[in-house]
Short mmCIF file of all heavy atoms in Angstrom, two decimals:
data_model
loop_
_atom_site.label_atom_id
_atom_site.label_comp_id
_atom_site.label_asym_id
_atom_site.label_seq_id
_atom_site.Cartn_x
_atom_site.Cartn_y
_atom_site.Cartn_z
N MET A 53 117.17 112.87 97.06
CA MET A 53 116.46 111.72 97.57
C MET A 53 117.45 110.65 98.02
O MET A 53 117.13 109.89 98.93
CB MET A 53 115.50 111.19 96.53
CG MET A 53 114.31 112.12 96.30
SD MET A 53 113.05 111.46 95.22
CE MET A 53 112.28 110.29 96.29
N LEU A 54 118.60 110.62 97.39
CA LEU A 54 119.61 109.65 97.80
C LEU A 54 120.09 109.95 99.22
O LEU A 54 120.26 109.03 100.04
CB LEU A 54 120.79 109.68 96.83
CG LEU A 54 121.92 108.71 97.10
CD1 LEU A 54 121.41 107.28 97.00
CD2 LEU A 54 123.04 108.93 96.12
N ILE A 55 120.25 111.21 99.53
CA ILE A 55 120.66 111.60 100.88
C ILE A 55 119.56 111.26 101.88
O ILE A 55 119.84 110.79 102.99
CB ILE A 55 121.02 113.10 100.92
CG1 ILE A 55 122.25 113.36 100.06
CG2 ILE A 55 121.25 113.56 102.35
CD1 ILE A 55 122.56 114.83 99.85
N GLY A 56 118.31 111.44 101.50
CA GLY A 56 117.20 111.09 102.37
C GLY A 56 117.15 109.60 102.67
O GLY A 56 116.89 109.19 103.80
N SER A 57 117.42 108.79 101.66
CA SER A 57 117.46 107.33 101.89
C SER A 57 118.60 106.95 102.81
O SER A 57 118.44 106.09 103.69
CB SER A 57 117.61 106.60 100.56
OG SER A 57 116.46 106.74 99.79
N ALA A 58 119.74 107.59 102.64
CA ALA A 58 120.89 107.30 103.51
C ALA A 58 120.60 107.73 104.95
O ALA A 58 120.92 107.01 105.90
CB ALA A 58 122.13 108.00 102.99
N VAL A 59 119.99 108.88 105.12
CA VAL A 59 119.63 109.34 106.46
C VAL A 59 118.58 108.42 107.07
O VAL A 59 118.61 108.12 108.27
CB VAL A 59 119.15 110.81 106.42
CG1 VAL A 59 118.56 111.24 107.74
CG2 VAL A 59 120.30 111.73 106.06
N GLY A 60 117.64 107.95 106.27
CA GLY A 60 116.65 107.00 106.76
C GLY A 60 117.29 105.70 107.22
O GLY A 60 116.90 105.13 108.24
N LEU A 61 118.30 105.24 106.49
CA LEU A 61 119.03 104.04 106.89
C LEU A 61 119.73 104.26 108.22
O LEU A 61 119.63 103.42 109.13
CB LEU A 61 120.05 103.69 105.81
CG LEU A 61 120.91 102.47 106.06
CD1 LEU A 61 120.12 101.22 105.76
CD2 LEU A 61 122.14 102.53 105.21
N LEU A 62 120.40 105.39 108.37
CA LEU A 62 121.08 105.69 109.63
C LEU A 62 120.09 105.89 110.77
O LEU A 62 120.34 105.47 111.90
CB LEU A 62 121.96 106.93 109.47
CG LEU A 62 123.14 106.76 108.53
CD1 LEU A 62 123.86 108.10 108.34
CD2 LEU A 62 124.10 105.72 109.07
N ALA A 63 118.95 106.51 110.49
CA ALA A 63 117.93 106.70 111.52
C ALA A 63 117.36 105.36 111.98
O ALA A 63 117.12 105.16 113.17
CB ALA A 63 116.81 107.60 111.00
N GLY A 64 117.17 104.45 111.05
CA GLY A 64 116.68 103.13 111.42
C GLY A 64 117.64 102.39 112.32
O GLY A 64 117.23 101.78 113.31
N VAL A 65 118.92 102.46 112.01
CA VAL A 65 119.93 101.81 112.86
C VAL A 65 119.99 102.49 114.23
O VAL A 65 120.05 101.82 115.27
CB VAL A 65 121.31 101.83 112.17
CG1 VAL A 65 122.40 101.36 113.11
CG2 VAL A 65 121.28 100.98 110.92
N ALA A 66 119.94 103.82 114.25
CA ALA A 66 120.03 104.54 115.52
C ALA A 66 118.83 104.25 116.41
O ALA A 66 118.99 103.99 117.61
CB ALA A 66 120.14 106.05 115.25
N PHE A 67 117.63 104.30 115.85
CA PHE A 67 116.45 104.05 116.67
C PHE A 67 116.36 102.60 117.12
O PHE A 67 115.85 102.32 118.19
CB PHE A 67 115.18 104.46 115.93
CG PHE A 67 114.90 105.93 116.01
CD1 PHE A 67 115.06 106.74 114.91
CD2 PHE A 67 114.48 106.50 117.19
CE1 PHE A 67 114.83 108.09 114.97
CE2 PHE A 67 114.24 107.86 117.28
CZ PHE A 67 114.42 108.66 116.17
N THR A 68 116.86 101.69 116.32
CA THR A 68 116.86 100.28 116.72
C THR A 68 117.84 100.07 117.87
O THR A 68 117.58 99.26 118.77
CB THR A 68 117.25 99.39 115.53
OG1 THR A 68 116.34 99.64 114.47
CG2 THR A 68 117.17 97.93 115.89
N ALA A 69 118.94 100.78 117.87
CA ALA A 69 119.91 100.65 118.95
C ALA A 69 119.41 101.31 120.24
O ALA A 69 119.74 100.86 121.33
CB ALA A 69 121.24 101.27 118.54
N VAL A 70 118.60 102.34 120.11
CA VAL A 70 118.13 103.09 121.28
C VAL A 70 116.86 102.49 121.89
O VAL A 70 116.75 102.36 123.10
CB VAL A 70 117.89 104.57 120.91
CG1 VAL A 70 117.25 105.33 122.04
CG2 VAL A 70 119.20 105.23 120.52
N VAL A 71 115.90 102.12 121.06
CA VAL A 71 114.61 101.65 121.53
C VAL A 71 114.61 100.12 121.60
O VAL A 71 114.89 99.45 120.60
CB VAL A 71 113.49 102.14 120.59
CG1 VAL A 71 112.15 101.61 121.04
CG2 VAL A 71 113.48 103.65 120.52
N HIS A 72 114.27 99.58 122.76
CA HIS A 72 114.24 98.14 122.95
C HIS A 72 112.86 97.64 123.36
O HIS A 72 112.72 96.54 123.87
CB HIS A 72 115.26 97.71 124.00
CG HIS A 72 116.67 97.96 123.58
ND1 HIS A 72 117.29 97.24 122.59
CD2 HIS A 72 117.57 98.88 123.99
CE1 HIS A 72 118.52 97.69 122.42
NE2 HIS A 72 118.72 98.69 123.25
N ALA A 73 111.84 98.45 123.18
CA ALA A 73 110.48 98.07 123.57
C ALA A 73 109.93 97.02 122.61
O ALA A 73 110.26 97.01 121.43
CB ALA A 73 109.58 99.29 123.58
N ARG A 74 109.09 96.15 123.12
CA ARG A 74 108.44 95.14 122.29
C ARG A 74 107.16 95.73 121.72
O ARG A 74 106.20 95.96 122.45
CB ARG A 74 108.10 93.90 123.12
CG ARG A 74 109.29 93.26 123.80
CD ARG A 74 110.21 92.57 122.85
NE ARG A 74 109.60 91.33 122.38
CZ ARG A 74 110.03 90.68 121.34
NH1 ARG A 74 111.05 91.12 120.66
NH2 ARG A 74 109.45 89.57 120.96
N ILE A 75 107.17 96.02 120.43
CA ILE A 75 106.02 96.60 119.74
C ILE A 75 105.70 95.71 118.55
O ILE A 75 106.60 95.14 117.92
CB ILE A 75 106.33 98.03 119.27
CG1 ILE A 75 106.75 98.90 120.46
CG2 ILE A 75 105.12 98.64 118.59
CD1 ILE A 75 107.23 100.27 120.06
N ARG A 76 104.43 95.60 118.23
CA ARG A 76 104.03 94.76 117.10
C ARG A 76 104.66 95.27 115.81
O ARG A 76 104.72 96.47 115.57
CB ARG A 76 102.51 94.77 116.96
CG ARG A 76 101.83 94.08 118.08
CD ARG A 76 100.34 93.98 117.93
NE ARG A 76 99.82 94.42 116.66
CZ ARG A 76 98.60 94.92 116.49
NH1 ARG A 76 97.81 95.05 117.53
NH2 ARG A 76 98.16 95.28 115.31
N PRO A 77 105.13 94.36 114.95
CA PRO A 77 105.80 94.77 113.71
C PRO A 77 104.90 95.57 112.76
O PRO A 77 105.39 96.47 112.09
CB PRO A 77 106.22 93.44 113.07
CG PRO A 77 106.26 92.47 114.17
CD PRO A 77 105.24 92.92 115.16
N ASP A 78 103.61 95.27 112.72
CA ASP A 78 102.74 96.01 111.81
C ASP A 78 102.58 97.46 112.23
O ASP A 78 102.46 98.36 111.39
CB ASP A 78 101.38 95.32 111.66
CG ASP A 78 100.68 95.12 113.00
OD1 ASP A 78 101.37 95.11 114.03
OD2 ASP A 78 99.43 94.96 112.99
N VAL A 79 102.62 97.72 113.52
CA VAL A 79 102.54 99.11 114.01
C VAL A 79 103.81 99.86 113.64
O VAL A 79 103.76 101.01 113.19
CB VAL A 79 102.32 99.12 115.54
CG1 VAL A 79 102.40 100.52 116.11
CG2 VAL A 79 100.98 98.48 115.89
N ILE A 80 104.95 99.20 113.79
CA ILE A 80 106.23 99.84 113.45
C ILE A 80 106.30 100.16 111.96
O ILE A 80 106.71 101.25 111.57
CB ILE A 80 107.41 98.94 113.87
CG1 ILE A 80 107.45 98.81 115.38
CG2 ILE A 80 108.72 99.47 113.35
CD1 ILE A 80 107.66 100.11 116.10
N VAL A 81 105.89 99.22 111.12
CA VAL A 81 105.92 99.46 109.68
C VAL A 81 105.00 100.61 109.32
O VAL A 81 105.35 101.48 108.51
CB VAL A 81 105.56 98.17 108.91
CG1 VAL A 81 105.33 98.47 107.44
CG2 VAL A 81 106.65 97.14 109.07
N ALA A 82 103.82 100.65 109.92
CA ALA A 82 102.89 101.75 109.64
C ALA A 82 103.48 103.10 110.05
O ALA A 82 103.35 104.09 109.33
CB ALA A 82 101.57 101.51 110.36
N LEU A 83 104.14 103.14 111.20
CA LEU A 83 104.75 104.39 111.65
C LEU A 83 105.95 104.79 110.81
O LEU A 83 106.09 105.96 110.43
CB LEU A 83 105.17 104.27 113.13
CG LEU A 83 104.05 104.17 114.15
CD1 LEU A 83 104.63 103.92 115.52
CD2 LEU A 83 103.22 105.43 114.14
N VAL A 84 106.81 103.83 110.51
CA VAL A 84 108.04 104.13 109.78
C VAL A 84 107.75 104.54 108.34
O VAL A 84 108.38 105.44 107.81
CB VAL A 84 108.98 102.90 109.82
CG1 VAL A 84 110.07 103.00 108.80
CG2 VAL A 84 109.58 102.78 111.20
N VAL A 85 106.79 103.90 107.71
CA VAL A 85 106.48 104.23 106.33
C VAL A 85 105.45 105.35 106.26
O VAL A 85 105.55 106.24 105.42
CB VAL A 85 105.98 102.98 105.57
CG1 VAL A 85 105.51 103.33 104.18
CG2 VAL A 85 107.09 101.94 105.50
N GLY A 86 104.49 105.34 107.15
CA GLY A 86 103.38 106.28 107.08
C GLY A 86 103.71 107.72 107.42
O GLY A 86 103.39 108.63 106.67
N ILE A 87 104.36 107.93 108.54
CA ILE A 87 104.60 109.29 109.01
C ILE A 87 105.51 110.09 108.07
O ILE A 87 105.13 111.18 107.64
CB ILE A 87 105.12 109.28 110.46
CG1 ILE A 87 104.00 108.83 111.39
CG2 ILE A 87 105.63 110.66 110.87
CD1 ILE A 87 104.41 108.65 112.82
N PRO A 88 106.70 109.59 107.69
CA PRO A 88 107.52 110.37 106.76
C PRO A 88 106.86 110.55 105.40
O PRO A 88 107.00 111.60 104.77
CB PRO A 88 108.82 109.57 106.63
CG PRO A 88 108.87 108.69 107.79
CD PRO A 88 107.45 108.41 108.17
N SER A 89 106.11 109.54 104.95
CA SER A 89 105.46 109.65 103.64
C SER A 89 104.38 110.72 103.64
O SER A 89 104.30 111.53 102.71
CB SER A 89 104.85 108.30 103.24
OG SER A 89 105.85 107.34 103.09
N VAL A 90 103.55 110.72 104.66
CA VAL A 90 102.47 111.71 104.73
C VAL A 90 103.04 113.12 104.88
O VAL A 90 102.61 114.05 104.18
CB VAL A 90 101.51 111.38 105.89
CG1 VAL A 90 100.57 112.52 106.18
CG2 VAL A 90 100.73 110.12 105.57
N ILE A 91 104.02 113.29 105.76
CA ILE A 91 104.61 114.62 105.95
C ILE A 91 105.32 115.08 104.68
O ILE A 91 105.19 116.24 104.28
CB ILE A 91 105.57 114.60 107.16
CG1 ILE A 91 104.79 114.40 108.45
CG2 ILE A 91 106.37 115.90 107.24
CD1 ILE A 91 105.65 114.19 109.67
N GLY A 92 106.06 114.18 104.03
CA GLY A 92 106.76 114.55 102.80
C GLY A 92 105.80 114.90 101.67
O GLY A 92 106.01 115.89 100.96
N LEU A 93 104.75 114.10 101.49
CA LEU A 93 103.77 114.40 100.44
C LEU A 93 103.05 115.71 100.68
O LEU A 93 102.85 116.50 99.75
CB LEU A 93 102.76 113.26 100.31
CG LEU A 93 103.24 112.03 99.56
CD1 LEU A 93 102.21 110.92 99.66
CD2 LEU A 93 103.51 112.36 98.12
N LEU A 94 102.65 115.95 101.93
CA LEU A 94 101.99 117.22 102.23
C LEU A 94 102.92 118.41 102.02
O LEU A 94 102.50 119.46 101.54
CB LEU A 94 101.46 117.21 103.66
CG LEU A 94 100.22 116.37 103.90
CD1 LEU A 94 99.88 116.34 105.38
CD2 LEU A 94 99.06 116.89 103.09
N THR A 95 104.19 118.23 102.38
CA THR A 95 105.16 119.30 102.17
C THR A 95 105.34 119.59 100.69
O THR A 95 105.40 120.75 100.28
CB THR A 95 106.51 118.93 102.81
OG1 THR A 95 106.31 118.61 104.17
CG2 THR A 95 107.50 120.07 102.71
N ILE A 96 105.41 118.55 99.87
CA ILE A 96 105.56 118.74 98.43
C ILE A 96 104.31 119.39 97.84
O ILE A 96 104.39 120.33 97.04
CB ILE A 96 105.86 117.41 97.73
CG1 ILE A 96 107.27 116.94 98.08
CG2 ILE A 96 105.71 117.53 96.22
CD1 ILE A 96 107.59 115.55 97.62
N LEU A 97 103.15 118.91 98.24
CA LEU A 97 101.90 119.43 97.67
C LEU A 97 101.62 120.87 98.08
O LEU A 97 101.05 121.64 97.31
CB LEU A 97 100.73 118.54 98.08
CG LEU A 97 100.70 117.15 97.46
CD1 LEU A 97 99.58 116.33 98.06
CD2 LEU A 97 100.55 117.25 95.95
N LEU A 98 102.00 121.24 99.29
CA LEU A 98 101.69 122.58 99.79
C LEU A 98 102.86 123.56 99.69
O LEU A 98 102.79 124.66 100.25
CB LEU A 98 101.22 122.49 101.24
CG LEU A 98 99.97 121.62 101.46
CD1 LEU A 98 99.66 121.50 102.94
CD2 LEU A 98 98.79 122.14 100.69
N SER A 99 103.92 123.16 98.99
CA SER A 99 105.10 124.01 98.92
C SER A 99 104.89 125.17 97.95
O SER A 99 104.25 125.04 96.92
CB SER A 99 106.33 123.20 98.50
OG SER A 99 106.14 122.73 97.18
N GLY A 100 105.46 126.28 98.32
CA GLY A 100 105.41 127.45 97.46
C GLY A 100 106.79 127.82 96.93
O GLY A 100 106.91 128.65 96.03
N ARG A 101 107.79 127.23 97.48
CA ARG A 101 109.17 127.51 97.07
C ARG A 101 109.88 126.22 96.73
O ARG A 101 109.50 125.14 97.17
CB ARG A 101 109.90 128.21 98.21
CG ARG A 101 109.24 129.47 98.67
CD ARG A 101 110.30 130.48 99.01
NE ARG A 101 109.69 131.71 99.47
CZ ARG A 101 109.66 132.81 98.74
NH1 ARG A 101 110.19 132.81 97.54
NH2 ARG A 101 109.12 133.90 99.20
N ARG A 102 110.94 126.35 95.95
CA ARG A 102 111.69 125.18 95.52
C ARG A 102 112.37 124.45 96.67
O ARG A 102 112.42 123.23 96.70
CB ARG A 102 112.75 125.57 94.49
CG ARG A 102 112.30 125.22 93.09
CD ARG A 102 113.43 125.42 92.15
NE ARG A 102 113.40 126.83 91.76
CZ ARG A 102 114.24 127.39 90.94
NH1 ARG A 102 115.20 126.68 90.42
NH2 ARG A 102 114.13 128.65 90.62
N TRP A 103 112.90 125.20 97.62
CA TRP A 103 113.61 124.55 98.71
C TRP A 103 112.66 123.76 99.61
O TRP A 103 113.04 122.75 100.19
CB TRP A 103 114.43 125.55 99.52
CG TRP A 103 113.63 126.54 100.32
CD1 TRP A 103 113.19 127.76 99.90
CD2 TRP A 103 113.17 126.38 101.65
NE1 TRP A 103 112.48 128.36 100.92
CE2 TRP A 103 112.46 127.53 101.99
CE3 TRP A 103 113.28 125.36 102.60
CZ2 TRP A 103 111.87 127.71 103.24
CZ3 TRP A 103 112.69 125.54 103.84
CH2 TRP A 103 112.00 126.70 104.15
N VAL A 104 111.41 124.21 99.69
CA VAL A 104 110.42 123.46 100.48
C VAL A 104 110.09 122.14 99.78
O VAL A 104 109.90 121.11 100.42
CB VAL A 104 109.16 124.31 100.72
CG1 VAL A 104 108.11 123.53 101.49
CG2 VAL A 104 109.50 125.60 101.44
N THR A 105 110.04 122.16 98.45
CA THR A 105 109.82 120.93 97.69
C THR A 105 110.99 119.97 97.90
O THR A 105 110.79 118.76 98.03
CB THR A 105 109.68 121.25 96.19
OG1 THR A 105 108.64 122.21 96.03
CG2 THR A 105 109.35 120.02 95.39
N THR A 106 112.20 120.50 97.97
CA THR A 106 113.37 119.67 98.23
C THR A 106 113.30 119.03 99.62
O THR A 106 113.61 117.84 99.77
CB THR A 106 114.66 120.51 98.11
OG1 THR A 106 114.68 121.13 96.83
CG2 THR A 106 115.89 119.68 98.31
N VAL A 107 112.87 119.79 100.60
CA VAL A 107 112.71 119.24 101.95
C VAL A 107 111.64 118.15 101.95
O VAL A 107 111.80 117.10 102.58
CB VAL A 107 112.36 120.36 102.96
CG1 VAL A 107 111.94 119.79 104.30
CG2 VAL A 107 113.53 121.30 103.12
N GLY A 108 110.56 118.35 101.22
CA GLY A 108 109.51 117.34 101.12
C GLY A 108 110.01 116.06 100.47
O GLY A 108 109.69 114.95 100.91
N ALA A 109 110.82 116.19 99.42
CA ALA A 109 111.40 115.01 98.78
C ALA A 109 112.36 114.28 99.72
O ALA A 109 112.40 113.05 99.74
CB ALA A 109 112.12 115.41 97.50
N PHE A 110 113.10 115.05 100.49
CA PHE A 110 114.00 114.46 101.49
C PHE A 110 113.20 113.66 102.52
O PHE A 110 113.54 112.52 102.84
CB PHE A 110 114.81 115.56 102.17
CG PHE A 110 115.66 115.09 103.31
CD1 PHE A 110 116.87 114.47 103.07
CD2 PHE A 110 115.24 115.26 104.62
CE1 PHE A 110 117.66 114.04 104.12
CE2 PHE A 110 116.01 114.82 105.67
CZ PHE A 110 117.23 114.22 105.43
N LEU A 111 112.13 114.25 103.04
CA LEU A 111 111.29 113.57 104.03
C LEU A 111 110.63 112.33 103.43
O LEU A 111 110.49 111.30 104.10
CB LEU A 111 110.24 114.52 104.58
CG LEU A 111 110.76 115.65 105.45
CD1 LEU A 111 109.64 116.63 105.77
CD2 LEU A 111 111.38 115.11 106.72
N LEU A 112 110.22 112.43 102.19
CA LEU A 112 109.58 111.29 101.51
C LEU A 112 110.58 110.15 101.30
O LEU A 112 110.20 108.99 101.36
CB LEU A 112 109.01 111.76 100.17
CG LEU A 112 108.09 110.83 99.43
CD1 LEU A 112 106.87 110.50 100.28
CD2 LEU A 112 107.66 111.46 98.13
N ALA A 113 111.84 110.48 101.11
CA ALA A 113 112.86 109.46 100.87
C ALA A 113 113.35 108.80 102.16
O ALA A 113 114.06 107.79 102.09
CB ALA A 113 114.05 110.09 100.14
N LEU A 114 112.99 109.34 103.32
CA LEU A 114 113.39 108.71 104.58
C LEU A 114 112.75 107.33 104.76
O LEU A 114 113.38 106.40 105.27
CB LEU A 114 112.98 109.58 105.77
CG LEU A 114 113.80 110.81 106.06
CD1 LEU A 114 113.16 111.60 107.18
CD2 LEU A 114 115.22 110.46 106.40
N ALA A 115 111.52 107.18 104.33
CA ALA A 115 110.76 105.95 104.58
C ALA A 115 111.41 104.70 103.98
O ALA A 115 111.55 103.70 104.68
CB ALA A 115 109.33 106.11 104.09
N PRO A 116 111.82 104.69 102.71
CA PRO A 116 112.41 103.46 102.16
C PRO A 116 113.72 103.05 102.85
O PRO A 116 113.96 101.86 103.07
CB PRO A 116 112.66 103.76 100.69
CG PRO A 116 111.84 104.93 100.38
CD PRO A 116 111.64 105.68 101.64
N GLY A 117 114.55 104.02 103.20
CA GLY A 117 115.80 103.70 103.88
C GLY A 117 115.56 103.11 105.25
O GLY A 117 116.18 102.11 105.65
N TRP A 118 114.63 103.71 105.99
CA TRP A 118 114.31 103.25 107.33
C TRP A 118 113.65 101.87 107.27
O TRP A 118 113.96 100.98 108.05
CB TRP A 118 113.39 104.25 107.99
CG TRP A 118 113.31 104.20 109.48
CD1 TRP A 118 113.64 103.16 110.28
CD2 TRP A 118 112.86 105.24 110.33
NE1 TRP A 118 113.40 103.48 111.59
CE2 TRP A 118 112.93 104.76 111.65
CE3 TRP A 118 112.39 106.53 110.11
CZ2 TRP A 118 112.55 105.53 112.74
CZ3 TRP A 118 112.01 107.28 111.19
CH2 TRP A 118 112.09 106.79 112.49
N PHE A 119 112.76 101.70 106.33
CA PHE A 119 112.07 100.42 106.17
C PHE A 119 113.06 99.32 105.77
O PHE A 119 112.98 98.20 106.26
CB PHE A 119 110.97 100.55 105.12
CG PHE A 119 110.19 99.29 104.90
CD1 PHE A 119 109.35 98.80 105.88
CD2 PHE A 119 110.30 98.59 103.72
CE1 PHE A 119 108.63 97.64 105.70
CE2 PHE A 119 109.58 97.43 103.51
CZ PHE A 119 108.75 96.96 104.50
N GLY A 120 113.99 99.66 104.89
CA GLY A 120 115.01 98.69 104.49
C GLY A 120 115.86 98.24 105.66
O GLY A 120 116.23 97.06 105.77
N THR A 121 116.18 99.15 106.55
CA THR A 121 116.94 98.80 107.75
C THR A 121 116.14 97.85 108.63
O THR A 121 116.68 96.85 109.12
CB THR A 121 117.30 100.06 108.55
OG1 THR A 121 118.06 100.92 107.72
CG2 THR A 121 118.08 99.72 109.79
N LEU A 122 114.86 98.15 108.82
CA LEU A 122 114.03 97.28 109.65
C LEU A 122 113.91 95.88 109.06
O LEU A 122 113.96 94.88 109.78
CB LEU A 122 112.65 97.89 109.84
CG LEU A 122 112.60 99.16 110.69
CD1 LEU A 122 111.19 99.69 110.75
CD2 LEU A 122 113.12 98.89 112.09
N VAL A 123 113.76 95.80 107.75
CA VAL A 123 113.66 94.49 107.09
C VAL A 123 114.97 93.73 107.23
O VAL A 123 114.97 92.53 107.54
CB VAL A 123 113.26 94.66 105.61
CG1 VAL A 123 113.42 93.36 104.85
CG2 VAL A 123 111.84 95.19 105.49
N ALA A 124 116.10 94.40 107.02
CA ALA A 124 117.40 93.75 107.12
C ALA A 124 117.64 93.24 108.56
O ALA A 124 118.15 92.12 108.75
CB ALA A 124 118.51 94.70 106.72
N LEU A 125 117.27 94.03 109.54
CA LEU A 125 117.45 93.59 110.92
C LEU A 125 116.54 92.44 111.27
O LEU A 125 116.92 91.53 112.01
CB LEU A 125 117.22 94.76 111.87
CG LEU A 125 118.29 95.85 111.85
CD1 LEU A 125 117.86 97.05 112.67
CD2 LEU A 125 119.61 95.30 112.36
N ARG A 126 115.33 92.45 110.75
CA ARG A 126 114.39 91.35 111.00
C ARG A 126 114.89 90.05 110.37
O ARG A 126 114.82 88.99 110.98
CB ARG A 126 113.02 91.73 110.43
CG ARG A 126 111.95 90.77 110.68
CD ARG A 126 111.49 90.83 112.10
NE ARG A 126 110.33 89.97 112.26
CZ ARG A 126 109.75 89.75 113.38
NH1 ARG A 126 110.19 90.36 114.46
NH2 ARG A 126 108.73 88.96 113.47
N VAL A 127 115.42 90.13 109.15
CA VAL A 127 115.94 88.94 108.48
C VAL A 127 117.19 88.44 109.20
O VAL A 127 117.36 87.23 109.40
CB VAL A 127 116.24 89.26 107.00
CG1 VAL A 127 117.05 88.15 106.36
CG2 VAL A 127 114.94 89.50 106.25
N ALA A 128 118.04 89.35 109.62
CA ALA A 128 119.29 88.95 110.30
C ALA A 128 119.02 88.32 111.66
O ALA A 128 119.79 87.46 112.10
CB ALA A 128 120.19 90.16 110.46
N SER A 129 117.91 88.71 112.29
CA SER A 129 117.60 88.15 113.60
C SER A 129 116.88 86.81 113.51
O SER A 129 116.55 86.21 114.52
CB SER A 129 116.77 89.13 114.42
OG SER A 129 115.46 89.24 113.87
N GLY A 130 116.59 86.37 112.29
CA GLY A 130 115.97 85.07 112.11
C GLY A 130 114.46 85.10 112.13
O GLY A 130 113.80 84.09 112.25
N GLY A 131 113.89 86.29 112.03
CA GLY A 131 112.43 86.39 112.13
C GLY A 131 111.80 86.52 110.83
O GLY A 131 110.72 86.38 110.49
#
């Protein structure tokens, strides 16, 4: 899960550098937290093997890292 959080942090920085569209913050938070969480939880719940559970935990851990990046960038930009 630590690796998932680190990858989420890097993904947040990468997508922020690439995407410059003006989107409402509540939509972004819903997408950043919602999509990895739902996919990770479903992967964990429907897994039949240990490695699939590990992948689900990795996907579930992406959300906090990505969300933390978005919050840090929002605070740093004065918003």
Side-chain angles (χ1 to χ4, degrees):
M53 290 187 75
L54 181 63
I55 294 171
S57 292
V59 170
L61 179 79
L62 293 174
V65 171
F67 278 108
T68 303
V70 173
V71 178
H72 295 289
R74 302 290 286 164
I75 303 173
R76 292 184 7 208
D78 56 338
V79 173
I80 294 299
V81 169
L83 291 174
V84 164
V85 174
I87 291 175
S89 296
V90 168
I91 292 172
L93 282 173
L94 286 175
T95 305
I96 290 171
L97 291 174
L98 301 175
S99 65
R101 304 217 181 253
R102 258 189 274 180
W103 68 270
V104 178
T105 305
T106 305
V107 169
F110 174 80
L111 291 172
L112 192 60
L114 284 175
W118 199 340
F119 181 68
T121 301
L122 291 178
V123 169
L125 290 171
R126 184 75 174 176
V127 168
S129 70

